[in-house]
Amino acid sequence: MFSKLRSAFVGLLVIAASTVAVTVSNSPVSATGNVAPSSVASNPSIGAQNVPTWSNTNIIAVDAGSKGTCAIQGANANATNGVLFCWGYFAILGTASQSDSNVAVRVVPGNGFSNTAVTAVAVGNDHACAVEGGMVWCWGIGSNGRLGNGASANSLTPVKVSANAGDGFDNDGASGDAVTEIDASYQRSCVIEGGAVFCWGDNSNTALGLGSNAASTFNTPQRVADTATPEFRAASAIQLALGFYGGCAVASGSAYCWGLDGVRLGNPAASQGVPLKVVQGSFPTSGSNVTFIGSGANHSCGIEGGVLHCWGKGTDYKLGSGNTTDSSAPVQVVAGGDFLNSGNVTAMTGGETHTCAIEAGKLFCWGGNSAGQIGNGTATSASAPVAVSVSD
Protein backbone atom coordinates (compact mmCIF):
# COMPACT_ATOMS: atom_id res chain seq x y z
CA MET A 1 0.00 0.00 0.00
CA PHE A 2 2.65 2.39 0.85
CA SER A 3 5.68 2.09 -1.39
CA LYS A 4 7.15 -0.15 -3.95
CA LEU A 5 10.43 -1.94 -4.29
CA ARG A 6 10.39 -1.71 -8.06
CA SER A 7 14.07 -0.84 -8.08
CA ALA A 8 14.76 -4.34 -6.82
CA PHE A 9 13.45 -5.85 -10.05
CA VAL A 10 14.72 -5.80 -13.61
CA GLY A 11 13.20 -6.69 -16.90
CA LEU A 12 12.28 -5.92 -21.41
CA LEU A 13 9.47 -7.11 -23.78
CA VAL A 14 6.41 -9.30 -23.68
CA ILE A 15 5.04 -11.58 -26.29
CA ALA A 16 1.87 -13.69 -26.55
CA ALA A 17 -1.08 -11.53 -25.63
CA SER A 18 -4.74 -11.71 -26.48
CA THR A 19 -6.20 -9.07 -28.72
CA VAL A 20 -9.66 -9.52 -27.25
CA ALA A 21 -11.06 -8.68 -23.84
CA VAL A 22 -11.97 -11.76 -21.83
CA THR A 23 -14.74 -10.95 -19.37
CA VAL A 24 -15.28 -12.90 -16.18
CA SER A 25 -18.70 -13.19 -14.64
CA ASN A 26 -19.37 -14.23 -11.06
CA SER A 27 -17.94 -17.69 -11.78
CA PRO A 28 -14.62 -18.70 -10.17
CA VAL A 29 -11.44 -17.28 -11.63
CA SER A 30 -8.48 -19.39 -12.60
CA ALA A 31 -4.71 -19.31 -12.36
CA THR A 32 -4.52 -20.24 -16.03
CA GLY A 33 -6.47 -17.32 -17.41
CA ASN A 34 -9.50 -15.13 -16.90
CA VAL A 35 -12.12 -17.83 -17.22
CA ALA A 36 -13.38 -20.61 -14.96
CA PRO A 37 -11.12 -23.68 -14.60
CA SER A 38 -13.78 -25.91 -16.18
CA SER A 39 -13.68 -23.77 -19.32
CA VAL A 40 -9.98 -23.83 -20.09
CA ALA A 41 -7.25 -26.24 -20.94
CA SER A 42 -3.78 -26.13 -19.46
CA ASN A 43 -2.74 -23.92 -22.36
CA PRO A 44 -5.88 -21.76 -22.70
CA SER A 45 -6.87 -20.17 -25.98
CA ILE A 46 -9.82 -18.45 -27.52
CA GLY A 47 -9.93 -19.59 -31.08
CA ALA A 48 -6.42 -18.88 -32.32
CA GLN A 49 -5.83 -16.19 -29.66
CA ASN A 50 -3.44 -17.30 -26.91
CA VAL A 51 -4.18 -15.95 -23.43
CA PRO A 52 -1.06 -15.10 -21.39
CA THR A 53 -0.81 -17.26 -18.29
CA TRP A 54 0.84 -16.76 -14.91
CA SER A 55 4.09 -18.68 -14.55
CA ASN A 56 5.66 -16.70 -11.67
CA THR A 57 8.82 -16.15 -13.69
CA ASN A 58 10.57 -12.97 -14.87
CA ILE A 59 8.63 -10.74 -12.44
CA ILE A 60 9.70 -7.14 -13.01
CA ALA A 61 7.44 -5.23 -10.57
CA VAL A 62 5.02 -5.86 -7.73
CA ASP A 63 2.81 -3.72 -5.51
CA ALA A 64 0.57 -4.67 -2.60
CA GLY A 65 -2.45 -2.83 -1.26
CA SER A 66 -4.48 -3.49 1.83
CA LYS A 67 -6.59 -6.21 0.16
CA GLY A 68 -4.55 -7.60 -2.68
CA THR A 69 -1.48 -7.58 -4.89
CA CYS A 70 -0.58 -7.01 -8.55
CA ALA A 71 2.58 -8.01 -10.41
CA ILE A 72 4.02 -7.55 -13.89
CA GLN A 73 5.36 -10.70 -15.54
CA GLY A 74 7.89 -10.21 -18.32
CA ALA A 75 8.54 -12.48 -21.30
CA ASN A 76 12.14 -13.11 -20.34
CA ALA A 77 14.79 -12.29 -17.76
CA ASN A 78 15.71 -9.03 -19.48
CA ALA A 79 12.17 -7.66 -19.77
CA THR A 80 11.31 -4.10 -18.74
CA ASN A 81 7.59 -4.47 -19.44
CA GLY A 82 5.09 -7.28 -19.41
CA VAL A 83 1.61 -8.60 -18.63
CA LEU A 84 -0.21 -7.53 -15.47
CA PHE A 85 -1.77 -10.08 -13.11
CA CYS A 86 -3.59 -9.41 -9.83
CA TRP A 87 -5.04 -11.43 -6.95
CA GLY A 88 -7.04 -10.80 -3.78
CA TYR A 89 -10.05 -8.48 -3.46
CA PHE A 90 -12.29 -8.52 -6.54
CA ALA A 91 -12.18 -4.74 -7.09
CA ILE A 92 -8.44 -4.75 -7.87
CA LEU A 93 -8.50 -7.74 -10.23
CA GLY A 94 -9.53 -5.77 -13.31
CA THR A 95 -11.38 -8.77 -14.75
CA ALA A 96 -15.03 -7.63 -14.33
CA SER A 97 -15.44 -10.39 -11.76
CA GLN A 98 -17.28 -9.71 -8.51
CA SER A 99 -15.53 -12.61 -6.79
CA ASP A 100 -12.23 -12.47 -4.93
CA SER A 101 -9.37 -14.55 -6.31
CA ASN A 102 -6.70 -16.42 -4.36
CA VAL A 103 -4.67 -17.02 -7.52
CA ALA A 104 -3.15 -14.61 -10.02
CA VAL A 105 -5.50 -13.55 -12.84
CA ARG A 106 -4.77 -11.42 -15.88
CA VAL A 107 -6.20 -7.89 -15.98
CA VAL A 108 -8.37 -7.71 -19.10
CA PRO A 109 -7.55 -5.37 -21.99
CA GLY A 110 -9.90 -2.52 -22.83
CA ASN A 111 -10.27 1.22 -23.39
CA GLY A 112 -6.89 1.35 -25.11
CA PHE A 113 -5.18 -0.77 -22.43
CA SER A 114 -3.71 -3.84 -24.16
CA ASN A 115 -2.00 -5.40 -21.11
CA THR A 116 0.94 -6.51 -23.21
CA ALA A 117 3.64 -3.98 -22.25
CA VAL A 118 2.86 -2.72 -18.74
CA THR A 119 5.75 -0.88 -17.09
CA ALA A 120 4.39 0.11 -13.65
CA VAL A 121 1.57 -0.82 -11.26
CA ALA A 122 0.16 0.63 -8.05
CA VAL A 123 -2.48 -0.78 -5.69
CA GLY A 124 -4.49 1.30 -3.23
CA ASN A 125 -7.12 0.28 -0.73
CA ASP A 126 -9.64 -1.05 -3.26
CA HIS A 127 -8.43 0.25 -6.61
CA ALA A 128 -5.40 -0.30 -8.82
CA CYS A 129 -3.67 1.56 -11.65
CA ALA A 130 -1.15 0.63 -14.33
CA VAL A 131 1.12 2.42 -16.80
CA GLU A 132 1.47 1.21 -20.38
CA GLY A 133 2.88 3.14 -23.31
CA GLY A 134 3.46 6.15 -21.07
CA MET A 135 -0.27 6.35 -20.23
CA VAL A 136 -2.22 5.38 -17.10
CA TRP A 137 -5.41 3.41 -16.51
CA CYS A 138 -7.22 2.63 -13.24
CA TRP A 139 -10.00 0.29 -12.07
CA GLY A 140 -11.86 -0.69 -8.90
CA ILE A 141 -14.08 1.26 -6.51
CA GLY A 142 -14.62 4.74 -7.93
CA SER A 143 -15.87 6.78 -4.97
CA ASN A 144 -13.91 9.93 -4.10
CA GLY A 145 -12.70 10.07 -7.67
CA ARG A 146 -9.90 7.60 -7.13
CA LEU A 147 -10.05 6.23 -10.70
CA GLY A 148 -9.19 9.67 -12.07
CA ASN A 149 -11.62 9.42 -15.01
CA GLY A 150 -13.86 12.33 -14.03
CA ALA A 151 -16.49 10.10 -12.41
CA SER A 152 -17.19 8.34 -9.13
CA ALA A 153 -18.70 5.14 -10.51
CA ASN A 154 -17.04 1.78 -9.97
CA SER A 155 -15.28 0.11 -12.88
CA LEU A 156 -14.10 -3.48 -12.56
CA THR A 157 -12.12 -3.21 -15.81
CA PRO A 158 -9.48 -0.60 -16.72
CA VAL A 159 -10.60 2.94 -17.60
CA LYS A 160 -8.22 5.56 -18.92
CA VAL A 161 -7.41 8.38 -16.51
CA SER A 162 -8.73 11.68 -17.85
CA ALA A 163 -6.46 14.33 -19.31
CA ASN A 164 -6.51 17.71 -17.61
CA ALA A 165 -5.19 20.25 -20.08
CA GLY A 166 -5.71 23.12 -17.64
CA ASP A 167 -3.21 21.59 -15.24
CA GLY A 168 -0.93 20.22 -17.95
CA PHE A 169 -1.75 16.51 -17.64
CA ASP A 170 -2.06 14.97 -21.12
CA ASN A 171 -2.00 11.18 -20.57
CA ASP A 172 -1.20 10.67 -24.24
CA GLY A 173 2.18 8.94 -23.88
CA ALA A 174 3.92 11.58 -25.98
CA SER A 175 7.69 11.41 -26.08
CA GLY A 176 9.21 13.47 -23.28
CA ASP A 177 5.82 13.82 -21.64
CA ALA A 178 5.01 10.22 -20.71
CA VAL A 179 3.87 8.87 -17.36
CA THR A 180 6.97 7.30 -15.83
CA GLU A 181 5.99 6.63 -12.21
CA ILE A 182 2.82 5.86 -10.25
CA ASP A 183 1.92 5.17 -6.64
CA ALA A 184 -1.37 4.63 -4.82
CA SER A 185 -2.45 4.68 -1.20
CA TYR A 186 -5.85 4.42 0.47
CA GLN A 187 -8.23 6.26 -1.92
CA ARG A 188 -5.75 8.32 -3.94
CA SER A 189 -3.14 8.00 -6.66
CA CYS A 190 -0.29 10.14 -7.95
CA VAL A 191 1.82 9.97 -11.12
CA ILE A 192 4.84 11.65 -12.62
CA GLU A 193 4.34 12.89 -16.18
CA GLY A 194 7.10 14.85 -17.87
CA GLY A 195 8.82 15.38 -14.49
CA ALA A 196 5.69 16.96 -12.92
CA VAL A 197 3.60 15.33 -10.16
CA PHE A 198 -0.18 14.97 -10.50
CA CYS A 199 -2.58 13.49 -7.94
CA TRP A 200 -6.30 12.66 -7.68
CA GLY A 201 -8.80 11.05 -5.31
CA ASP A 202 -9.36 11.66 -1.61
CA ASN A 203 -7.73 14.86 -0.33
CA SER A 204 -8.23 14.35 3.42
CA ASN A 205 -5.41 15.89 5.46
CA THR A 206 -4.32 17.79 2.30
CA ALA A 207 -2.88 14.45 1.19
CA LEU A 208 -2.87 15.39 -2.51
CA GLY A 209 -0.55 18.36 -1.98
CA LEU A 210 -2.90 20.84 -3.65
CA GLY A 211 -2.86 23.53 -0.97
CA SER A 212 -4.59 24.01 2.37
CA ASN A 213 -7.82 25.36 0.86
CA ALA A 214 -8.28 22.69 -1.81
CA ALA A 215 -11.47 20.65 -2.11
CA SER A 216 -11.88 17.33 -0.31
CA THR A 217 -11.88 15.17 -3.46
CA PHE A 218 -10.73 15.42 -7.08
CA ASN A 219 -11.81 13.00 -9.80
CA THR A 220 -9.24 14.10 -12.40
CA PRO A 221 -5.46 14.58 -12.04
CA GLN A 222 -4.36 17.86 -10.46
CA ARG A 223 -0.80 19.14 -10.48
CA VAL A 224 0.72 19.16 -7.00
CA ALA A 225 1.06 22.75 -5.80
CA ASP A 226 4.13 24.76 -4.83
CA THR A 227 5.13 27.18 -2.11
CA ALA A 228 5.05 30.93 -2.69
CA THR A 229 8.65 30.62 -3.82
CA PRO A 230 8.62 28.19 -6.78
CA GLU A 231 10.79 25.22 -5.96
CA PHE A 232 9.05 21.86 -6.22
CA ARG A 233 7.44 22.62 -9.58
CA ALA A 234 10.77 23.90 -10.87
CA ALA A 235 12.41 20.58 -9.99
CA SER A 236 12.13 17.40 -12.08
CA ALA A 237 10.49 14.55 -10.16
CA ILE A 238 11.70 10.99 -10.68
CA GLN A 239 10.07 8.95 -7.90
CA LEU A 240 6.93 8.91 -5.72
CA ALA A 241 6.01 7.39 -2.37
CA LEU A 242 2.52 7.78 -0.87
CA GLY A 243 1.62 7.13 2.75
CA PHE A 244 -1.72 7.20 4.54
CA TYR A 245 -1.47 10.90 5.46
CA GLY A 246 0.27 12.34 2.40
CA GLY A 247 3.03 11.78 -0.09
CA CYS A 248 6.67 12.36 -0.93
CA ALA A 249 8.73 12.66 -4.09
CA VAL A 250 12.36 12.80 -5.12
CA ALA A 251 12.84 15.80 -7.42
CA SER A 252 16.16 17.10 -8.72
CA GLY A 253 18.01 15.19 -5.99
CA SER A 254 15.98 16.45 -3.02
CA ALA A 255 13.16 14.87 -1.04
CA TYR A 256 9.85 16.75 -0.75
CA CYS A 257 6.81 15.73 1.28
CA TRP A 258 3.24 17.01 1.69
CA GLY A 259 0.26 16.11 3.84
CA LEU A 260 -0.85 16.23 7.44
CA ASP A 261 1.88 17.88 9.53
CA GLY A 262 5.52 18.83 9.76
CA VAL A 263 6.57 15.76 11.73
CA ARG A 264 5.52 13.44 8.93
CA LEU A 265 6.89 15.84 6.31
CA GLY A 266 10.49 15.83 7.51
CA ASN A 267 10.23 19.57 8.03
CA PRO A 268 9.45 21.36 11.33
CA ALA A 269 7.30 23.92 9.49
CA ALA A 270 3.56 23.63 9.95
CA SER A 271 1.74 21.89 7.12
CA GLN A 272 0.75 24.20 4.27
CA GLY A 273 -0.83 21.47 2.21
CA VAL A 274 1.99 21.84 -0.32
CA PRO A 275 5.33 20.06 -0.75
CA LEU A 276 8.05 21.09 1.67
CA LYS A 277 11.68 20.15 1.19
CA VAL A 278 12.82 17.61 3.75
CA VAL A 279 15.41 19.32 5.95
CA GLN A 280 19.01 18.13 6.11
CA GLY A 281 18.83 16.37 9.46
CA SER A 282 21.22 13.43 9.28
CA PHE A 283 21.59 13.61 5.51
CA PRO A 284 25.34 14.07 4.93
CA THR A 285 25.13 16.41 1.93
CA SER A 286 22.20 18.69 2.76
CA GLY A 287 19.75 16.14 1.38
CA SER A 288 20.57 17.23 -2.16
CA ASN A 289 21.54 13.80 -3.50
CA VAL A 290 18.59 11.64 -2.48
CA THR A 291 18.14 8.70 -4.84
CA PHE A 292 15.17 6.85 -3.32
CA ILE A 293 12.27 7.60 -1.01
CA GLY A 294 9.66 5.36 0.59
CA SER A 295 6.75 5.90 2.97
CA GLY A 296 4.82 3.99 5.60
CA ALA A 297 1.55 4.97 7.24
CA ASN A 298 3.01 8.01 9.01
CA HIS A 299 6.75 7.93 8.41
CA SER A 300 9.10 8.12 5.44
CA CYS A 301 12.71 7.29 4.66
CA GLY A 302 15.21 8.46 2.08
CA ILE A 303 18.46 7.04 0.73
CA GLU A 304 21.42 9.33 0.10
CA GLY A 305 24.79 7.90 -0.79
CA GLY A 306 23.47 4.41 -0.06
CA VAL A 307 22.70 5.36 3.56
CA LEU A 308 19.14 5.21 4.93
CA HIS A 309 17.56 8.04 6.94
CA CYS A 310 13.99 8.15 8.31
CA TRP A 311 11.60 10.75 9.77
CA GLY A 312 8.05 11.00 11.10
CA LYS A 313 6.26 9.17 13.89
CA GLY A 314 8.67 7.05 15.90
CA THR A 315 6.20 4.70 17.59
CA ASP A 316 7.08 1.01 17.50
CA TYR A 317 10.73 1.87 16.69
CA LYS A 318 9.85 2.12 13.01
CA LEU A 319 12.33 4.97 12.33
CA GLY A 320 15.18 2.60 13.18
CA SER A 321 16.74 5.23 15.44
CA GLY A 322 16.88 2.94 18.46
CA ASN A 323 14.02 4.74 20.24
CA THR A 324 10.36 5.67 19.78
CA THR A 325 10.82 9.44 19.57
CA ASP A 326 9.08 11.31 16.76
CA SER A 327 11.42 13.22 14.45
CA SER A 328 10.54 16.02 12.04
CA ALA A 329 14.05 15.80 10.57
CA PRO A 330 15.79 12.76 9.07
CA VAL A 331 17.65 10.51 11.50
CA GLN A 332 20.12 7.91 10.34
CA VAL A 333 18.97 4.33 10.82
CA VAL A 334 21.27 2.64 13.31
CA ALA A 335 23.38 -0.37 12.42
CA GLY A 336 22.09 -3.65 13.75
CA GLY A 337 22.92 -7.30 13.21
CA ASP A 338 24.51 -7.49 9.78
CA PHE A 339 22.92 -4.19 8.69
CA LEU A 340 25.75 -1.68 8.35
CA ASN A 341 23.97 1.29 6.73
CA SER A 342 27.30 2.38 5.35
CA GLY A 343 26.57 2.92 1.67
CA ASN A 344 24.88 -0.14 0.19
CA VAL A 345 21.16 0.41 0.89
CA THR A 346 19.23 0.37 -2.40
CA ALA A 347 15.52 0.38 -1.48
CA MET A 348 13.06 0.42 1.43
CA THR A 349 9.37 0.17 2.19
CA GLY A 350 7.26 1.01 5.22
CA GLY A 351 4.19 -0.47 6.83
CA GLU A 352 2.00 0.85 9.60
CA THR A 353 4.34 -0.17 12.42
CA HIS A 354 7.48 -1.50 10.75
CA THR A 355 10.06 -0.75 8.06
CA CYS A 356 12.18 -2.93 5.75
CA ALA A 357 15.22 -2.16 3.61
CA ILE A 358 17.49 -3.91 1.12
CA GLU A 359 21.23 -3.63 1.73
CA ALA A 360 23.69 -5.37 -0.58
CA GLY A 361 20.90 -7.65 -1.76
CA LYS A 362 19.86 -8.74 1.75
CA LEU A 363 16.56 -7.84 3.43
CA PHE A 364 16.36 -6.31 6.91
CA CYS A 365 13.34 -5.16 8.93
CA TRP A 366 12.65 -3.41 12.25
CA GLY A 367 9.84 -1.94 14.33
CA GLY A 368 6.59 -3.42 15.60
CA ASN A 369 6.38 -7.19 15.34
CA SER A 370 3.16 -8.28 17.02
CA ALA A 371 2.15 -10.31 13.97
CA GLY A 372 5.68 -11.36 13.03
CA GLN A 373 5.87 -8.69 10.34
CA ILE A 374 9.63 -8.20 10.55
CA GLY A 375 10.15 -11.84 9.66
CA ASN A 376 12.87 -12.78 12.13
CA GLY A 377 11.11 -15.75 13.69
CA THR A 378 9.83 -13.85 16.76
CA ALA A 379 6.94 -11.61 17.78
CA THR A 380 9.22 -9.15 19.60
CA SER A 381 9.64 -5.57 18.37
CA ALA A 382 13.09 -4.57 17.13
CA SER A 383 14.57 -1.11 17.77
CA ALA A 384 17.31 -1.72 15.18
CA PRO A 385 17.39 -3.60 11.87
CA VAL A 386 17.41 -7.41 11.98
CA ALA A 387 17.86 -9.78 9.08
CA VAL A 388 14.76 -11.52 7.80
CA SER A 389 15.27 -15.14 8.82
CA VAL A 390 16.32 -17.85 6.41
CA SER A 391 13.42 -20.20 5.79
CA ASP A 392 13.53 -23.92 6.61
Side-chain angles (χ1 to χ4, degrees):
M1 174 178 177
F2 300 110
S3 67
K4 297 180 281 299
L5 294 178
R6 280 199 299 271
S7 63
F9 303 93
V10 291
L12 175 67
L13 188 57
V14 66
I15 310 180
S18 169
T19 58
V20 297
V22 185
T23 302
V24 180
S25 65
N26 291 340
S27 58
V29 290
S30 165
T32 55
N34 292 319
V35 288
S38 60
S39 304
V40 296
S42 59
N43 183 20
S45 63
I46 303 172
Q49 311 273 340
N50 289 329
V51 177
T53 57
W54 174 257
S55 63
N56 197 15
T57 56
N58 306 320
I59 307 304
I60 66 170
V62 62
D63 194 35
S66 63
K67 301 175 183 177
T69 306
C70 294
I72 302 170
Q73 179 175 274
N76 53 60
N78 298 315
T80 56
N81 57 45
V83 179
L84 182 63
F85 294 82
C86 298
W87 56 94
Y89 184 51
F90 76 92
I92 72 160
L93 301 180
T95 62
S97 173
Q98 296 184 40
S99 299
D100 299 345
S101 177
N102 59 10
V103 295
V105 292
R106 175 176 171 258
V107 176
V108 300
N111 292 314
F113 179 72
S114 69
N115 196 8
T116 60
V118 180
T119 54
V121 62
V123 184
N125 193 43
D126 43 24
H127 77 290
C129 302
V131 177
E132 183 178 57
M135 296 171 283
V136 59
W137 287 260
C138 295
W139 57 93
I141 305 302
S143 57
N144 291 318
R146 73 194 80 176
L147 302 187
N149 66 332
S152 58
N154 300 341
S155 179
L156 300 185
T157 56
V159 292
K160 193 173 183 180
V161 173
S162 297
N164 181 355
D167 244 6
F169 182 76
D170 301 317
N171 203 22
D172 59 4
S175 178
D177 196 30
V179 175
T180 55
E181 174 86 2
I182 187 168
D183 200 9
S185 174
Y186 184 49
Q187 299 179 6
R188 65 185 68 92
S189 302
C190 295
V191 297
I192 297 174
E193 184 187 67
V197 179
F198 301 85
C199 297
W200 62 90
D202 179 69
N203 192 34
S204 301
N205 303 310
T206 64
L208 299 184
L210 306 177
S212 57
N213 296 318
S216 59
T217 60
F218 290 88
N219 59 19
T220 58
Q222 311 290 313
R223 188 172 181 185
V224 171
D226 211 340
T227 57
T229 302
E231 182 175 6
F232 181 70
R233 285 192 172 191
S236 180
I238 60 169
Q239 193 219 337
L240 286 169
L242 303 189
F244 190 82
Y245 295 98
C248 296
V250 176
S252 298
S254 294
Y256 295 83
C257 294
W258 58 89
L260 184 59
D261 60 40
V263 171
R264 295 175 176 88
L265 305 185
N267 190 312
S271 173
Q272 304 173 52
V274 298
L276 297 176
K277 183 181 285 188
V278 175
V279 299
Q280 178 175 353
S282 60
F283 281 131
T285 59
S286 302
S288 59
N289 292 293
V290 178
T291 56
F292 186 94
I293 197 166
S295 293
N298 52 24
H299 73 295
S300 298
C301 303
I303 298 172
E304 186 178 57
V307 178
L308 185 64
H309 310 257
C310 298
W311 58 91
K313 294 292 185 179
T315 52
D316 300 297
Y317 301 104
K318 59 179 171 278
L319 299 186
S321 60
N323 57 57
T324 59
T325 304
D326 296 348
S327 180
S328 59
V331 292
Q332 186 168 322
V333 175
V334 299
D338 294 329
F339 184 79
L340 303 177
N341 203 18
S342 60
N344 292 306
V345 180
T346 54
M348 61 75 52
T349 188
E352 184 174 354
T353 64
H354 74 297
T355 307
C356 296
I358 297 172
E359 182 183 60
K362 189 173 182 179
L363 186 62
F364 299 83
C365 298
W366 58 93
N369 197 30
S370 60
Q373 56 263 51
I374 66 176
N376 69 333
T378 76
T380 304
S381 297
S383 60
V386 295
V388 173
S389 298
V390 176
S391 172
D392 292 335

